[in-house]
Amino acid sequence: MTTTPTPLDAALALAAAGVPVLPLRAGKVPFGNCRACKDGACGGRPNMKSAGPCRCLAPCHAWAAASTDPHVLTSPVWAPVWREAVAVAYHPGGAGLTVVDLDNAAAVAWARETLPPTRTVPTTRGEHWIYQGAMTSSNSVRPGVDIKSLTQYARWLGPGTGRMALLPAAVRALVVKEDTTPRRGGVASSLPPRATWDRTVATGCRHTERYVRTGLERGLAQVRARTESGAGSQAFGVARFLAAQHTACPGPCGLASIGEEIVSAAVSVGVPEAYARRAVANGLETAVERAA
Ligand SMILES: [Zn+2]
Ligand SMILES: [Zn+2]
Ligand SMILES: [Zn+2]
């Protein structure tokens, strides 16, 4: 073991390359949540599917704790975890990547026939095919095939070989059903064609146009300022904050248009669109649920 880099060494090298990482414990699974986060009591982190306010400093919530920040990775809270870690995982979606996880030889054979060649990494019984571009994750899209990207972690098994190709339509199509399912509450599916908020979409809003517009511009600026990281979480926070201003309005207040503007701002600083949409939709829904 003396010549093998420790999981922390490997993690720091990946983080320096912009890949969010997390430790895995024996059994090659993420560490359990701390007491405060147990069973999701904290509500979860802002970047999760069901976004919550958790700011726990420990590596709780699996992939959602993945970080590129060396200060976080080497913090005292993470230190005991690294001592027990046996492997490193990464959050492919957070690095703008998609891993097609092929569990066995049959799945690999299918990929060779069906998918464009890209960078591949051997796994215990199969291969990871890694594409440039993020998408919704989905398990068992075919026998032995998982898609790991947003809201998933993948084990780091080395850099692999081959040139990374752009995420092809053939891979996106594997989970297309999930992508086109209307969202609960209809937030994203009821988006009007108009992309900017104005008074005509807010016939039941009790605020002045100036008030709404000023708050929205301030929120958009906060999202656009997150050019390095955190724009997705910021988009969630801004959506929740702005939606909360309208909980006493009879409505409609044009929240879908407000959401669209926040999504555009997040996408403009590099947040994958699907991720941005989910963060904003969760923010809007959270505000509404709190008010209910
Ligand atoms: Zn925690
Ligand atoms: Zn938590
Ligand atoms: Zn309103």
Side-chain angles (χ1 to χ4, degrees):
M1 289 296 286
T2 47
T3 53
T4 319
T6 66
L8 178 56
D9 294 334
L12 288 172
L14 282 169
V19 178
V21 287
L22 65 148
L24 296 181
R25 62 188 162 95
K28 314 283 161 55
V29 292
F31 283 78
N33 291 351
C34 74
R35 216 177 300 140
C37 294
K38 215 170 178 68
D39 303 321
C42 57
R45 294 193 190 271
N47 55 341
M48 291 169 69
K49 231 177 228 171
S50 169
C54 175
R55 301 240 171 259
C56 184
L57 298 174
C60 299
H61 308 292
W63 68 268
S67 177
T68 54
D69 186 340
H71 298 110
V72 170
L73 299 174
T74 59
S75 70
V77 192
W78 285 51
V81 175
W82 286 117
R83 279 197 291 276
E84 280 179 49
V86 298
V88 176
Y90 63 107
H91 176 214
L97 303 174
T98 294
V99 176
V100 181
D101 184 5
L102 306 158
D103 281 340
N104 51 49
V108 172
W110 164 82
R112 286 193 183 134
E113 268 173 34
T114 319
L115 303 180
T118 188
R119 179 173 302 181
T120 65
V121 182
T123 63
T124 316
R125 288 183 306 275
E127 289 178 4
H128 283 173
W129 285 34
I130 306 174
Y131 290 101
Q132 188 107 50
M135 64 180 285
T136 309
S137 300
S138 191
N139 286 331
S140 303
V141 293
R142 290 182 47 82
V145 182
D146 296 334
I147 305 293
K148 297 174 182 236
S149 183
L150 301 165
T151 67
Q152 262 288 10
Y153 69 90
R155 240 188 102 191
W156 172 254
L157 294 159
T161 52
R163 200 160 150 246
M164 208 179 286
L166 283 178
L167 183 60
V171 173
R172 287 191 186 277
L174 293 170
V175 290
V176 79
K177 259 187 248 130
E178 199 168 306
D179 274 345
T180 54
T181 303
R183 295 192 60 80
R184 181 173 57 86
V187 172
S189 59
S190 61
L191 287 174
R194 158 195 312 279
T196 55
W197 185 92
D198 70 33
R199 198 71 220 175
T200 61
V201 296
T203 51
C205 185
R206 64 181 178 83
H207 299 293
T208 64
E209 174 152 8
R210 188 193 162 93
Y211 174 87
V212 175
R213 198 70 235 172
T214 305
L216 177 55
E217 288 305 334
R218 195 173 298 147
L220 296 177
Q222 287 167 354
V223 173
R224 290 194 198 103
R226 296 296 198 106
T227 51
E228 292 300 320
S229 69
S233 311
Q234 189 74 52
F236 165 80
V238 166
R240 185 175 56 175
F241 177 79
L242 292 177
Q245 297 179 331
H246 298 275
T247 49
C249 296
C253 295
L255 291 183
S257 292
I258 286 174
E260 267 306 85
E261 292 203 45
I262 303 169
V263 168
S264 302
V267 169
S268 77
V269 288
V271 178
E273 187 179 339
Y275 185 105
R277 282 189 183 285
R278 195 172 305 126
V280 168
N282 285 340
L284 296 176
E285 279 177 23
T286 304
V288 173
E289 278 162 16
R290 293 260 159 87

